[in-house]
Amino acid sequence: DVTGQIQVFDSQGNYLQVIGGTGSGLGQSDGQSAIAFEPNTGNLYAGDVNNNRINVFDPQGNYVNSIAQGQFSGLIEGRPFFGPSGIVFDNKGNGYVGDYSSDRILKFNSGGEIVDSIGSSGTAPGQFQGPSGLAIRSDGNLVVTDQFNNRIQ
């Protein structure tokens, strides 16, 4: 929300709690983007655009750590957004996050270490211009919405 916090609600829409806060300190955010739950641990991963990182919170909402610090590029002229743009996890506990300005997908392991970079900038198959939404299909393949190429790969 505008306060930099993640709000939690039950299935009936009742407010339960808030996670994080506004700022640049541990567990704080300045411009949140994507969020996703790691299915094996239940930890919440939250993109933090202006602090250039992903904050990790345990299932109770306590700050655990930050990963991918300094890995995301800044704003590019003509693009409305920058930073971490989508987060998804495979069934092995690996995470994938879009780097909207660098036109790539970063893969990280369960320890939060960046282990691979997928794609590059361009218009050919396997290249991106503003990767935003990410999903993992039932066969384990990664699917990416490629905003400025107007396609899904």
Side-chain angles (χ1 to χ4, degrees):
D1 72 0
V2 296
T3 65
Q5 301 170 326
I6 300 168
Q7 295 188 28
V8 181
F9 298 85
D10 68 17
S11 60
Q12 281 73 46
N14 299 306
Y15 172 83
L16 297 176
Q17 75 179 89
V18 68
I19 298 173
T22 303
S24 59
L26 300 178
Q28 295 179 327
S29 297
D30 182 12
Q32 294 177 14
S33 57
I35 61 172
F37 288 96
E38 199 284 321
N40 297 315
T41 63
N43 287 347
L44 173 67
Y45 287 67
D48 182 356
V49 174
N50 294 311
N51 290 322
N52 199 4
R53 64 188 178 192
I54 297 170
N55 288 320
V56 183
F57 300 91
D58 70 17
Q60 291 73 44
N62 301 305
Y63 173 76
V64 175
N65 64 352
S66 295
I67 65 169
Q69 296 185 59
Q71 294 293 315
F72 304 98
S73 297
L75 187 63
I76 293 176
E77 187 175 335
R79 293 196 184 177
F81 182 75
F82 64 99
S85 57
I87 305 170
V88 69
F89 292 89
D90 65 22
N91 62 4
K92 297 175 186 168
N94 296 305
Y96 301 82
V97 58
D99 183 349
Y100 192 81
S101 294
S102 290
D103 299 325
R104 64 184 178 164
I105 308 301
L106 297 175
K107 179 180 178 181
F108 56 92
N109 63 21
S110 60
E113 176 187 7
I114 302 295
V115 295
D116 201 0
S117 178
I118 301 167
S120 61
S121 185
T123 59
Q127 294 182 322
F128 307 109
Q129 290 188 347
S132 49
L134 306 178
I136 301 283
R137 295 189 329 195
S138 61
D139 62 6
N141 288 332
L142 177 67
V143 180
V144 180
T145 57
D146 186 2
Q147 185 173 14
F148 292 101
N149 283 327
N150 297 308
R151 63 186 178 190
I152 298 172
Q153 298 195 76

